[in-house]
Amino acid sequence: MTTRERTWSIAELAAEFEVTHRTLRHYEELGLIAPERRGTTRVFSKRDRTRLALILRGRRLGFPLEEIRRIVDMYDDQPGRVGQLRYLLGQISDRRADLEARRRDIEDSLAELAELERRCETDLATLRGNRAVPARSQDTPSRTSV
Amino acid sequence: MTTRERTWSIAELAAEFEVTHRTLRHYEELGLIAPERRGTTRVFSKRDRTRLALILRGRRLGFPLEEIRRIVDMYDDQPGRVGQLRYLLGQISDRRADLEARRRDIEDSLAELAELERRCETDLATLRGNRAVPARSQDTPSRTSV
DNA sequence: GACGCACTTGACGTCGACGTAAACGTAAAG
DNA sequence: CTTTACGTTTACGTCGACGTCAAGTGCGTC
């Protein structure tokens, strides 16, 4: 007899991932997850958990749910024929380009944050030394970050 | 006489940054930018351009406009007193933590993408060799990416 | 002075991502 | 047998980030 796989209720999954029931149902409506049913009640499998983790990471990165679905589905597509595989490889390359652009944005932001921090530290040191803080140019946020 | 600084019309800025007029006005409403006025017409300065670039980077990273405003404003706050500086340094550290978390998400995603790609390549090679493609476990997207 | 062009201010519409309330089912606990 | 806990569907509400008219202004030109 096959080892009974662990399952989760909607409440358990919601608590674990810190989302609401509504969110999980919403994701089901959009086809992002497809929990089984025991009667009318949703039963979440390990697979659903995995997908949910992916979905939430996509969400943290600011992707729209529609796009997230396409991406998550990439991993489940049984790569039947060569055409499918080629298509998948194309998708992968697209997504990689996107992610790398985001990473550049983040790196830039972090660099500028560091720069701003450095300036703050020196200003602070100057103030501690009771010397006047040099007024910095206001019209050009010399190098900023987001 | 002070060197006349270059300015931009709303149309010029919109074209350059590939946003609509509406978007720029919206950002003004929210206090993200504050172009001067020549009569009733908006006149954008270098400073506005700089801020806009920051705003759009924040947007690409998926930050809400309200938060973007607070961040962009960080750079314009004249760090008057020590308390201000300390506060700013705190903000900086918060933002860095956020960005670094995002970066981790991205790194993870890229790693999993690479893994998926590798599997695709081998499958493709297998198909080319006219051998059967090994069916992979369907219920556990072995390791996925977003 | 009428025309076009770029610009303005409302103000309502839309779309995604849920929030929230209403009304109901099921099953164990008091 | 009712209460409590947990679950369900349906459906309207909300909020952010704009889109999309409508109606008007200022200005150089034909």
Side-chain angles (χ1 to χ4, degrees), chain A residues 28 32 38-39 51 72 81 86 89 93 109 113 116:
Chain A
E28 186 183 15
L32 285 158
R38 185 116 51 220
R51 288 181 67 103
V72 174
R81 293 165 310 290
R86 291 203 180 291
L89 284 169
S93 134
S109 298
L113 266 189
L116 178 61

Side-chain angles (χ1 to χ4, degrees), chain B residues 51-110:
Chain B
R51 288 180 66 104
L52 183 54
L54 294 174
I55 293 164
L56 295 180
R57 188 168 67 193
R59 190 177 74 163
R60 286 197 301 275
L61 293 175
F63 289 103
L65 293 180
E66 263 308 311
E67 194 173 344
I68 292 180
R69 190 186 46 158
R70 290 203 307 276
I71 297 162
V72 175
D73 281 349
M74 281 187 1
Y75 296 92
D76 283 344
D77 281 359
Q78 202 63 351
R81 293 163 312 288
V82 174
Q84 274 292 329
L85 278 172
R86 292 202 180 293
Y87 172 76
L88 224 181
L89 283 169
Q91 295 299 95
I92 289 173
S93 130
D94 288 357
R95 291 216 34 70
R96 169 153 41 214
D98 186 339
L99 288 173
E100 280 170 353
R102 282 162 188 268
R103 183 169 53 180
R104 275 193 299 280
D105 277 337
I106 289 182
E107 298 294 355
D108 291 352
S109 298
L110 282 170

Side-chain angles (χ1 to χ4, degrees), chain A:
Chain A
M1 103 200 164
T2 162
T3 316
R4 266 270 142 268
E5 280 250 326
R6 159 108 212 248
T7 62
W8 290 264
S9 74
I10 194 169
E12 287 168 339
L13 223 61
E16 178 177 354
F17 287 93
E18 298 186 300
V19 296
T20 66
H21 298 194
R22 181 66 179 91
T23 299
L24 293 178
R25 295 200 194 99
H26 185 52
Y27 291 170
E28 186 183 15
E29 284 174 17
L30 298 190
L32 285 158
I33 46 183
E36 321 259 291
R37 299 295 182 118
R38 185 116 51 220
T40 131
T41 303
R42 271 164 266 251
V43 177
F44 295 83
S45 67
K46 193 169 174 181
R47 174 158 182 274
D48 293 315
R49 282 193 70 229
T50 309
R51 288 181 67 103
L52 183 53
L54 294 173
I55 292 163
L56 295 180
R57 188 168 68 193
R59 189 175 75 163
R60 286 197 300 276
L61 292 175
F63 289 103
L65 294 180
E66 262 309 310
E67 194 173 344
I68 292 179
R69 189 186 46 160
R70 290 203 307 275
I71 297 163
V72 174
D73 281 348
M74 281 187 1
Y75 296 90
D76 283 344
D77 280 359
Q78 201 65 349
R81 293 165 310 290
V82 174
Q84 274 291 330
L85 277 172
R86 291 203 180 291
Y87 173 76
L88 226 181
L89 284 169
Q91 295 299 95
I92 290 173
S93 134
D94 288 356
R95 291 215 35 70
R96 168 149 45 210
D98 187 339
L99 287 173
E100 280 172 351
R102 282 161 188 268
R103 182 168 55 179
R104 274 194 299 281
D105 277 337
I106 289 183
E107 298 293 356
D108 292 352
S109 298
L110 281 171
E112 292 169 11
L113 266 189
E115 163 71 5
L116 178 61
E117 186 173 38
R118 209 183 50 70
R119 278 165 31 204
C120 281
E121 302 280 16
T122 69
D123 282 7
L124 202 53
T126 308
L127 279 179
R128 278 194 205 291
N130 260 343
R131 293 185 279 120
V133 53
R136 248 177 345 242
S137 137
Q138 178 80 345
D139 48 5
T140 306
S142 20
R143 195 116 298 212
T144 2
S145 172
V146 163

